[in-house]
Amino acid sequence: MILFQRKIQNFLILSSIFIFLIVNFIISETNGMSVTDHHATLGQFPYMIYLTILKSENNSFACGGSVLTKNYGLTAAHCLTFEKDNQTELAESAHAFMGIVDLEGPEEMDIYRLVSEMIVHEKYQLLGDADFAFNDIALIKFEYPIEFCDRVQPITLPRADKHFTRLAVIEMGWGMTASGLTSDDLLFATSRVIDNRKCQRKYLRSQRIEYDITDKMLCVVNTKDSPRGGACFGDSGGPLVLKNTTTIVGIASWAEVNEFNCTKIYPDVFTRVTKYLDWIEEKVGISINGENWPIYGTNMTNTCNVTLPIEDDLEEVISTTLGQFPYMIYLTILKSENNSFACGGSVLTKNYGLTAAHCLTFEKDNQTELAESAHAFMGIVDLQGPEDMEMYRRVSEMIIHEKYQIFGDADYTFNDIALIKFEYPIEFCDRVQPITLPRGDKDFTHHAVIGMGWGMTASGFTSTDLLFATSRVIDNRKCQRKYLRSQRIEYDITDKMLCVVNTKDSPRGGACMGDSGGPLVLKNTTTIVGIASWTELNEFNCTKIYPDVFTRVTEYLDWIEEKVGISINSENWPKYGTNLTNICNVTLPIEDDLEEVISSTTETISKTKQNVNVISINNLILSENVA
C-alpha cells in the first residue's frame, strides 16, 4: 500500500501511491493518485490545484489539491509531511499552481501562489510503514489571496448528513498512467462509491491490511469500462467529486495498485470530507454556511487576469562596437594551479569593479576559497585585437559578500556578488566608463534588458568578440513557477535574484558558459540591474527553455556603498559620461610578467572551451550579437 503522491528526485519524476506492501512486491518511496482514459479540458475542473512540495533537501514531491477559498486550499496531510526519527515533520515549502490542465503548457496560463502555511490535522497518523493514513487531511494557506475567474473556482463542500454510497464520482490527477509514466495532462475517470463494510471485507479477505476502514474514510471502485482509472502514483490530495457536480466528497489518500501499470482489484480509499467540515470551518475561520463562504460560479464570466510580459520582438544576439559598452570588464582568474577561468564584470569607480562572487571563489573541502589572482581588461570588444587597445589592471583585492553561498554541486548561488579593487586607479575616457547604479525602489519586471559577454555561442565555442542580446525581465514568481514545474531546482528564487527570458526569435541568446559576473543593463541606458549568476541550458549549444537568473543589484546598494566607502548619491560617486570625449590613453603597467598575463587571455578562452562542465551553468555567455 502506498500514498497518492509523486516524488521528484534528480530531475526525474518518480511517482507512487499509498499501495500495500505485498510479499516480493517492491514499491517506490513515493505516493500519488493518477487517472487514465479521459483528458480534462481547460476550465473543466477549475478548483484543481497542482502542488509541488519540497519535503527535505533533494526530496521533492507532487500532489493534487482543491481550491477552497481565496486564501485556502485542501489536500492530504501526507502530501505535506514526512517521517523522521518516528516523528512527523512538516515539508520545507510548497507551491500551488491553478487554472491549468497541461503541465507543459505556457506558464502564462498558471495562477501561482507560494504556500505560506501548512495546517495538518492534529490527529493525522501514518501506520504500517507509512502505507496507511488516518485523518489524512490538511489545509494550505496561499501567500496572498487568489481571484476567482473562469479557470479558478472554489470547490463546493458537501452536506454533513450525506453518505454517497453507490453514487458515481470523478477522480482526477496528473499521476502515473497505464504506460508507467506520469501524465503532463490532467486526467480523470469515473468510479463508484461502495459501502465501507464491503470495502473492509474486500481488504480483509485479501489479508492486505490489519487496520479498519473507518467512517472517516470513503472507498471507490472503478467501472468495468475504466479498469485502470483511479488512484495511482502521483496525485494524493486531489479531490473526489460527485459526477456532474462541483461537490467534493473525498481527498485521495491511499490504495493498492500494480506499481508498473496502475491496474488494481482493490478499492481506492479517500478521506471522507463530511467528517471534517467542523475542522475546516474552525481553521479557515469562516462559517461554511455563511454569506462569506465562496460559492462556485463566483466571477465565472471573468477571464483570469494573468499579467503577461510585454514581449515585442527583441533583437538577435549582436556583435558590439568599440565603446558601445565602455563599462564592460573581461576578467581572467586563476583559481588554483592550472585552473583558470574567464568572467565578465563592470567598472564601478576608478578603483573598483563589480562581478559575481562565484567567479572569484572555488569550493575545497566544503570551504569557500578565494582565487589566487585575477586580472581586469577594459576598453576592448575583441579579445584578439591589438593589446595596446586594452586598459589593464591587476586585481589587488577581492571582496566577496559575507553571506555568499553555493549549493547543489555549484549550480545554485545566494548573494552572488563581489567587488574587485584595481591595483591602481583607472582613468575614465571614451572607451572606459563607470556603469550607472539603479534606484533601490525599482522592480524592473517586464522591462527590456541587455546582457553581454564573451562566452560560449551556439557553435559550442567561446567568442572572441563581445556579444550582446536583449531579453525581458519576468516576475520572480513566474520564474519560480517555471523551475518548479520543470522540477529543476529545490531552492527558492529569492527577492535578491532577478530572472530574464529570451524571445522566440532569440532562443540561444542569454546565459551560457563563460560570462558569469557580466552586467545586465536596462535597454537604451547605462543602468545595471543584474549580475550574471546561474541558469540551466544545453551545455553543447546554449539552447534553453528556462529563465536566466541574475543577482538583483538593487538589493545590494548599501553593501556596495559600505565596501567602496563613497555615498552612491554623493558628488564623489562617478557618473557615466565623465571624460567621455577624451581618447583613452592606455598606459601599460611595467611588469615583467605582463606578456604572460596577456597571453593567458587566449589560453583561458581555450580552457573555457574544454572545461564547460567545470565552469558550470553559473557562467553567462551570449551567442550571436557582436558588440
Side-chain angles (χ1 to χ4, degrees), residues 45-52 63-69 72-75 95-100 111 113 115 140 142 146 152-153 172-174 186 235-239:
F45 303 113
Y47 39 74
M48 188 65 186
I49 297 175
Y50 180 72
L51 276 173
T52 60
C63 273
S66 310
V67 174
L68 204 56
T69 71
Y72 289 92
L74 192 61
T75 188
H95 304 264
F97 303 89
M98 294 155 280
I100 56 171
I111 307 295
R113 292 296 185 270
V115 173
I140 53 173
F142 307 128
I146 59 174
V152 179
Q153 288 287 308
M172 61 197 74
W174 285 274
L186 178 59
D235 290 305
S236 291

Side-chain angles (χ1 to χ4, degrees), residues 400-407 414-416 496 559:
I400 308 299
H401 195 282
E402 297 79 1
K403 293 184 178 180
Y404 165 68
Q405 286 181 288
I406 195 162
F407 295 96
F414 289 115
N415 300 303
D416 193 10
K496 294 189 174 183
W559 181 83

Side-chain angles (χ1 to χ4, degrees), residues 8 50-54 61-63 93-97 484-485 487:
I8 305 155
Y50 180 72
L51 276 173
T52 60
I53 305 113
L54 177 65
F61 291 77
C63 273
S93 63
H95 304 264
F97 303 89
L484 283 173
R485 280 173 51 190
Q487 292 121 25

Side-chain angles (χ1 to χ4, degrees), residues 297-422:
T298 303
N299 298 330
M300 182 67 97
T301 58
N302 292 2
T303 302
C304 288
N305 182 22
V306 181
T307 304
L308 298 176
I310 306 164
E311 296 203 3
D312 44 27
D313 292 334
L314 302 179
E315 299 97 320
E316 286 286 339
V317 183
I318 304 168
S319 296
T320 313
T321 57
L322 192 60
Q324 187 175 357
F325 302 116
Y327 39 73
M328 188 66 188
I329 298 174
Y330 181 74
L331 277 173
T332 61
I333 305 113
L334 179 65
K335 294 200 174 182
S336 57
E337 188 175 355
N338 297 319
N339 194 7
S340 298
F341 290 77
C343 271
S346 309
V347 175
L348 204 56
T349 71
K350 288 187 175 184
N351 293 294
Y352 289 93
L354 192 62
T355 189
H358 77 261
C359 286
L360 306 177
T361 58
F362 62 98
E363 300 300 301
K364 182 179 180 182
D365 300 329
N366 294 320
Q367 296 290 321
T368 299
E369 303 283 347
L370 269 183
E372 292 185 8
S373 63
H375 303 268
F377 300 86
M378 294 155 280
I380 57 171
V381 292
D382 181 5
L383 298 183
Q384 299 296 334
E387 64 270 17
D388 57 5
M389 295 295 290
E390 299 167 354
M391 185 174 292
Y392 161 77
R393 294 294 185 271
R394 182 189 293 276
V395 173
S396 61
E397 186 179 0
M398 305 176 204
I399 305 170
I400 308 299
H401 195 282
E402 297 79 1
K403 293 184 178 180
Y404 165 68
Q405 286 181 288
I406 195 162
F407 295 96
D409 297 325
D411 59 5
Y412 185 90
T413 55
F414 289 115
N415 300 303
D416 193 10
I417 186 172
L419 292 169
I420 53 173
K421 187 173 183 180
F422 307 129

Side-chain angles (χ1 to χ4, degrees), residues 11 54 60 411-412 479-480 483-484 486-493 534 536 549 617:
F11 304 159
L54 177 65
S60 298
D411 59 5
Y412 185 90
C479 184
Q480 177 83 69
Y483 275 108
L484 283 173
S486 69
Q487 292 121 25
R488 299 305 189 196
I489 59 170
E490 64 268 25
Y491 306 108
D492 286 337
I493 302 294
W534 59 271
E536 180 179 353
V549 183
I617 62 172

Side-chain angles (χ1 to χ4, degrees), residues 71 147 151 166 185 242 352 396 405 410 473 539 602 609:
N71 293 294
E147 293 298 324
R151 290 186 286 109
R166 293 191 292 278
D185 296 321
L242 291 177
Y352 289 93
S396 61
Q405 286 181 288
V473 179
E539 65 176 294
T602 304
K609 297 174 187 175

Side-chain angles (χ1 to χ4, degrees), residues 100-120:
I100 56 171
V101 292
D102 180 5
L103 298 182
E104 292 299 315
E107 68 273 12
E108 294 87 359
M109 297 297 289
D110 300 351
I111 307 295
Y112 162 78
R113 292 296 185 270
L114 175 68
V115 173
S116 61
E117 187 179 0
M118 306 175 204
I119 305 170
V120 174

